[in-house]
Amino acid sequence: AKSAGGNRFELADPEADARAITRHGLTTALPTALDRGEFFIEYQPLVNLDDGSVRGAEALVRWLHPQHGVLGPDRFIPLAEHTGLIVPLGRWVLEQSVRQARQWRERHDEATAGPLRINVNLSPCQLTHPGLVQDTVEILQAAGVDPDALCLEVTESALIGADDDLLKPLRRLAEMGVDIALDDFGTGYSNLANLRRLPVSVLKLDRSFTQSMQQFPADPVDLKIVEGIVSLAHSLDLAVTVEGVETGAQAEQLRILGCDTAQGWYYARPGPPDRLHELALVDATG
Ligand code: C2E
Ligand code: CA
Ligand code: CA
Ligand code: CA
C-alpha cells in the first residue's frame, strides 16, 4: 500500500525520493552482497512458557551494508523476493542456521534438556522453487542435523488458498520430520477448517494478539480469540508459539491461555549465536 502512487509523490517529497534512491541502490547492491559476505544472522530464543527454558531459536537475517550500516530484513527481503535473490539468500540462511544448530548441540548436548531447535523463515518464492526439498535434505545431511531439529516458518498468507502443488514440498519435508510453522497466524483470515489440510505442526500467533494482552484486563474479544485458537490448535495436535512477548504480564496471560512456546524481548532480543548458547546454558544449569 505504501508504494501505491509512489511515483507521483517522489518528486514532491524529498524523503520519499531518498527512499526510492535507497531502494534502487539496495536492489543494485543485493546480488553482490551475498558474495561479499555482508549478510549475517541473529538468533532469538524460543522458550517454553511453562518453565522458561530455552528450546531453540529463530534465525533472523540482517545485512551489514557498507554505507547504510545494519539493515533489517523488512528493508531488503521484499527486494530480494522481487529480484529472485531470495532463493540463494534463503538457502544461505538455512545452511548457516543448520550448521549453527549443530554447533550448539556439540557445545551443550548434555547440559540442556533436549537438542536446541532451529527455526528458519521461508519466503513464498522459496516454496515454489523446485530445489527446496533436495537443498534442505542436503543441508541437514551435510551438517549431521536431524530433520526433527528444524522448523520452517511459512506465513499464513503464503498458504491461503494454496493448491496441492504448493503444499507438496511442505508435505515431503513434514514427512521427513521437519516441523512446519504457520507464521503470523491470525492475520490472514484463513479458513480454520483449512488447517487440517496443511502439513503444519505449529501455529505462530501473530504479535498483534500478544500486544492486546498488555492491557489489563485484556480485550475480552482477543482473549476469546486466543483461547479459541489454542483449543483448536491443541485438538488438531498443533503447538502454539507466541511472538512479540515484551512483558512478564503478557507471558503470564499467554501461559494461562495455554500457549506452549514464547519469543520476544522479555526473554531476549535477537543476538549473536554465542548469546543463545549462554542463555541455554544458564537456563540448564540453573
Ligand atoms: P517474523 O518472522 O515475524 O519475525 C519476528 C520479528 O519480530 C523479528 O523482526 C524480531 O526481531 C521481532 N521481534 C522479536 N521479539 C519482539 C518483541 O518482543 N517486540 C517486537 N516489537 N518485535 C519483536 P525482524 O528481525 O526485523 O524480522 C522481520 C521479518 O523479516 C520477520 O518477521 C520475517 O518475516 C522476515 N525475515 C527475517 N529473516 C528472514 C529470512 O531469513 N528469510 C525470510 N524469507 N524472511 C526473513
Ligand atoms: Ca518468523
Ligand atoms: Ca511472525
Ligand atoms: Ca503448557
Side-chain angles (χ1 to χ4, degrees), residues 46 57 170 184 197 228 233 238:
L46 286 150
L170 287 183
D184 303 341
R197 211 169 62 84
L238 308 176

Side-chain angles (χ1 to χ4, degrees), residues 18-30 79:
R19 275 200 302 276
I21 290 167
T22 311
R23 195 157 56 232
H24 178 258
L26 292 183
T27 308
T28 319
L30 257 180
L79 304 177

Side-chain angles (χ1 to χ4, degrees), residues 41-42 44 58-62 72-74 77 81 86 89-90 93-94 120-124 126 153 155 183-184 204 206-207 211 243-246 250 263-266 268-270:
I41 301 171
E42 288 192 316
Q44 185 176 35
E58 178 176 7
L60 296 160
V61 68
R62 280 89 179 81
D74 291 336
I77 291 286
E81 287 175 335
I86 192 67
L89 176 60
V93 171
L94 183 64
V120 178
N121 291 288
L122 213 59
S123 153
Q126 292 173 271
E153 300 191 359
T155 59
D183 207 350
D184 303 341
K204 241 182 140 170
D206 190 67
R207 183 156 69 223
Q211 270 163 358
E243 55 183 14
V245 176
E246 296 179 358
Q250 288 171 327
Q263 179 181 357
W265 298 344
Y266 173 62
R269 301 234 171 190

